[in-house]
Amino acid sequence: MERREDHYSNYFVQSPSSLSHDLEFEFQSPTRSDSAPLVLSRVNEFPKHSDFLRNSTGNKLVYENDEKMLVPLRSSNSGWWIVLQIGWRFLFSLGVALLVFYIATQPPHPDISFRIGRFDQFMLEEGVDSHGASTKFLTFNCSTKLIVDNKSNVFGLHIHPPSIKFFFGPLNFAKAQGPKLYVLSHESTTFQLYIGTTNREMYGAGAEMDDMLQSRAGLPLILRTSIISDYRVVWNIINPKYHHKVECLLLLAYKERHSHVTMIREKCRLVS
């Protein structure tokens, strides 16, 4: 009996994993071994619009469907940032408002003038000091007038305690400080200030002053006054200050046979 052999064709089915490996190998460039392989991916593996993405810091971001914007879901210290923004904007607006208010109501420079009132007494008497030295002692009282014209229609004028000094040449032999003063808006006010001394040792200057009083030329004295005034527009934030210095030259002489001293000349001027 003849034995018949059937010839069957052999078919090999390559697995999908090996097929993809071969495809990957075939698409590699033979000349550039450092090129990255081309990997085929399914289209549906890309993230949908509704998927969540993560940025480099790990914060979740939402990919919006239409506008295609990444919106952070988390923001550190956002509350403090909002408070800071509101705060500096408020301060900036307040500063601008105060500046506009000051410019609109800016007070003008006040007018200051000074006058010598009268000498109630001016006496130089012989005496002995605590060390037993013979000298002249000076006693006098003098009234002055400070006239302040506040030209502001809105703000009152504050006047710091005025400083008053009497000089005979370079010698400051009497000084005084007045009280705090206040002038209402759009008013002119006259204040009485006083300066004097009692039993002040004059030594050599006393004899020279007495000789001048008895002469025809008279005794020249200088009175210097320093005044500081200010408007308090907004407390101490907007507080314009003004410095005034007044200098008066006066001449004294004996009257009626040396019975008392009187002022025979006076001239005051504003130095600054």
Side-chain angles (χ1 to χ4, degrees):
M1 182 174 193
E2 185 179 357
R3 190 177 177 181
R4 188 175 58 179
E5 294 183 2
D6 295 333
H7 297 279
Y8 294 94
S9 299
N10 293 328
Y11 296 91
F12 297 94
V13 179
Q14 193 172 9
S15 65
S17 60
S18 60
L19 176 61
S20 62
H21 177 74
D22 293 342
L23 287 174
E24 179 182 341
F25 178 80
E26 290 177 2
F27 277 94
Q28 291 181 355
S29 174
T31 58
R32 298 183 60 184
S33 61
D34 58 344
S35 301
L38 176 63
V39 180
L40 301 179
S41 301
R42 296 177 58 187
V43 176
N44 59 2
E45 290 180 0
F46 284 95
K48 296 181 181 179
H49 287 179
S50 60
D51 290 343
F52 289 100
L53 303 179
R54 294 182 179 271
N55 60 12
S56 60
T57 60
N59 292 334
K60 274 189 176 181
L61 304 175
V62 177
Y63 191 83
E64 295 187 351
N65 292 336
D66 297 328
E67 298 181 359
K68 297 182 180 181
M69 295 177 60
L70 296 178
V71 182
L73 296 181
R74 226 171 24 184
S75 178
S76 61
N77 298 329
S78 59
W80 285 109
W81 176 249
I82 294 173
V83 172
L84 180 62
Q85 291 286 326
I86 295 175
W88 80 258
R89 290 182 183 182
F90 171 77
L91 292 176
F92 178 78
S93 301
L94 179 62
V96 171
L98 292 177
L99 180 61
V100 172
F101 174 72
Y102 174 69
I103 294 174
T105 60
Q106 186 174 7
H109 197 289
D111 282 343
I112 299 289
S113 58
F114 202 84
R115 297 286 183 272
I116 303 294
R118 65 172 187 170
F119 282 89
D120 292 333
Q121 57 178 344
F122 192 96
M123 298 185 300
L124 283 166
E125 298 178 320
E126 289 283 349
V128 178
D129 66 7
S130 57
H131 300 285
S134 177
T135 183
K136 293 275 188 180
F137 289 87
L138 173 63
T139 298
F140 83 97
N141 288 310
C142 177
S143 63
T144 63
K145 293 180 181 180
L146 174 63
I147 302 99
V148 182
D149 187 8
N150 182 6
K151 295 185 177 182
S152 173
N153 295 322
V154 180
F155 305 105
L157 182 67
H158 297 261
I159 302 175
H160 299 218
S163 172
I164 310 172
K165 295 180 180 180
F166 255 117
F167 291 86
F168 172 58
L171 175 63
N172 175 210
F173 63 88
K175 57 185 177 181
Q177 191 173 44
K180 292 182 179 180
L181 305 172
Y182 181 76
V183 183
L184 296 173
S185 59
H186 200 58
E187 281 196 7
S188 180
T189 307
T190 301
F191 301 98
Q192 294 279 348
L193 302 175
Y194 300 92
I195 182 173
T197 187
T198 302
N199 293 330
R200 166 68 189 271
E201 301 94 333
M202 299 302 295
Y203 299 106
E208 186 177 358
M209 292 172 72
D210 196 28
D211 291 340
M212 288 184 173
L213 283 172
Q214 299 182 45
S215 68
R216 292 184 178 180
L219 171 63
L221 299 177
I222 297 175
L223 182 145
R224 294 189 177 102
T225 305
S226 179
I227 303 166
I228 300 175
S229 61
D230 66 81
Y231 290 105
R232 296 168 190 178
V233 180
V234 183
W235 302 291
N236 287 328
I237 301 175
I238 301 179
N239 180 221
K241 290 185 178 181
Y242 307 92
H243 295 261
H244 321 268
K245 289 185 178 180
V246 179
E247 186 174 278
C248 298
L249 175 63
L250 56 151
L251 198 61
L252 304 181
Y254 278 121
K255 186 180 179 181
E256 297 178 1
R257 296 181 181 180
H258 308 286
S259 58
H260 66 279
V261 175
T262 185
M263 183 175 62
I264 59 177
R265 190 179 300 170
E266 170 206 0
K267 184 180 180 180
C268 295
R269 64 188 181 95
L270 189 64
V271 178
S272 63

